[in-house]
Amino acid sequence: MTDKKHCPCCCSHQWTQTAPFTPAWAIETPSTPVCTRKNQTVTPNPIFPSTATLPICTPLELKKTGPSTILISVSIPAEAIITLPTKALEIKMIRKSLKITQWRFFNSVPSEPGLPHDTPKLFIGGFVRKDIQYSEVNRRTATAVEGIIKDFVVDIPISCVVDLGKHFVFPPVHFNQQREYGFSRSIQCPSSYPSKGKMPSGDLTEFNVVSQEYHNPLPFCELVFSQINEMDSALDCMPSHCEPFEEGVFNTLQEKMIVLIQIRLTFQPNTDHDHDHDPHDKHPKTKKC
């Protein structure tokens, strides 16, 4: 018989592993605080950002009103489904106001001959604030309906990309530049080379660079005029099964809007020669935008 006590193959082994090493900086680094409001749920950032293909809006009018000013008129269509918090008998009043939250000008980038050339674009974003006042049924009689007035405020987002065309000359785009340079030096040739002189070479132990950064000015956008033309239709109108028989209630509205806006786009004038004047002139002329 084989003695199991002395058999290394039959002995039970227990494999253990020490805890993973944690560096000191990870232990000392405090966690990032998260600011939350009372009774508010914090949701993590999505893995994939939400994107959308924005339509190109052809401007109704592009007019140059000054040396560096363009007046833009554009019509933006929008559609939304609005769900009221309670059943409505009738819409009494809808007050609207336009809020522009984004102006972003994209200048056309110069391209080489033979390549496609794009046109400047203007991104517009915002929302229409709607204050809906409607009546809610409180009590019915055989010949009348008694109700109360309720108020509901909702924001309808709008967005548009305006094509500014290729008939206007906009300020050029200046690009950042970075250029490297070096110095020559002479190194002694190894003994294996026939020539015992020195060999000119570049210095590989240096990194010399000149960087230039341009700050392209953004134009100034101003809302001059706005007009909102809308149609609201009830989608789930339910007839009343009691008196008066012709009355009904609804909860969901479908809204279609045409938002007409007029924008003034102003670029900074070229001031490179604003100080070029005759020093003997006692009354130099001042240039205005």
Side-chain angles (χ1 to χ4, degrees):
M1 294 180 63
T2 305
D3 190 0
K4 295 184 179 180
K5 296 182 179 180
H6 302 283
C7 179
C9 300
C10 301
C11 297
S12 60
H13 292 78
Q14 182 178 3
W15 180 72
T16 59
Q17 181 183 12
T18 59
F21 172 73
T22 303
W25 62 265
I27 300 175
E28 298 175 358
T29 303
S31 59
T32 303
V34 179
C35 299
T36 58
R37 296 181 180 179
K38 188 177 180 180
N39 299 329
Q40 181 181 5
T41 304
V42 179
T43 57
N45 294 331
I47 299 178
F48 298 100
S50 59
T51 59
T53 302
L54 300 179
I56 297 294
C57 296
T58 303
L60 301 177
E61 183 183 17
L62 283 175
K63 182 170 62 175
K64 190 173 183 180
T65 58
S68 56
T69 304
I70 297 177
L71 197 63
I72 305 170
S73 299
V74 63
S75 178
I76 304 175
E79 185 179 27
I81 302 296
I82 302 174
T83 302
L84 299 176
T86 57
K87 298 291 184 180
L89 175 68
E90 186 181 41
I91 299 295
K92 293 297 183 182
M93 177 68 69
I94 299 180
R95 299 183 181 274
K96 303 171 294 294
S97 59
L98 178 64
K99 307 292 182 181
I100 301 297
T101 58
Q102 180 192 34
W103 307 104
R104 179 60 66 179
F105 172 73
F106 276 75
N107 205 347
S108 57
V109 179
S111 60
E112 299 179 0
L115 297 179
H117 185 71
D118 201 0
T119 55
K121 305 290 192 303
L122 180 64
F123 281 65
I124 303 174
F127 60 90
V128 175
R129 181 185 184 272
K130 296 175 65 69
D131 187 352
I132 305 174
Q133 298 177 5
Y134 64 95
S135 60
E136 181 185 4
V137 177
N138 189 22
R139 189 169 62 91
R140 294 176 182 267
T141 64
T143 57
V145 178
E146 179 183 342
I148 57 176
I149 300 298
K150 287 201 169 184
D151 190 81
F152 181 66
V153 178
V154 63
D155 293 335
I156 308 299
I158 60 171
S159 61
C160 178
V161 182
V162 183
D163 189 357
L164 300 181
K166 53 184 179 180
H167 303 291
F168 294 96
V169 178
F170 297 96
V173 179
H174 300 282
F175 297 93
N176 300 338
Q177 297 179 359
Q178 180 171 307
R179 293 175 294 176
E180 299 180 18
Y181 65 94
F183 297 96
S184 62
R185 68 169 184 169
S186 298
I187 59 176
Q188 189 68 33
C189 293
S191 58
S192 59
Y193 283 82
S195 176
K196 303 299 182 181
K198 293 185 177 182
M199 178 178 62
S201 175
D203 192 355
L204 302 179
T205 61
E206 293 183 356
F207 180 76
N208 310 309
V209 63
V210 175
S211 301
Q212 297 177 351
E213 185 177 3
Y214 293 94
H215 298 276
N216 296 282
L218 290 174
F220 176 74
C221 293
E222 180 184 3
L223 182 62
V224 179
F225 171 80
S226 66
Q227 174 184 287
I228 303 174
N229 186 7
E230 68 170 314
M231 290 185 179
D232 298 276
S233 303
L235 297 180
D236 56 350
C237 185
M238 296 176 290
S240 176
H241 298 288
C242 55
E243 301 298 338
F245 68 92
E246 72 274 10
E247 301 295 339
V249 293
F250 57 90
N251 193 215
T252 306
L253 291 174
Q254 183 184 39
E255 177 195 63
K256 298 179 184 293
M257 289 190 303
I258 301 295
V259 183
L260 176 64
I261 62 175
Q262 193 174 58
I263 308 164
R264 182 182 292 114
L265 190 64
T266 304
F267 296 87
Q268 295 186 13
N270 186 8
T271 58
D272 295 340
H273 304 287
D274 286 354
H275 301 286
D276 296 344
H277 61 274
D278 188 0
H280 301 287
D281 190 0
K282 297 182 180 180
H283 302 284
K285 297 181 180 179
T286 59
K287 296 183 179 181
K288 297 182 179 181
C289 175

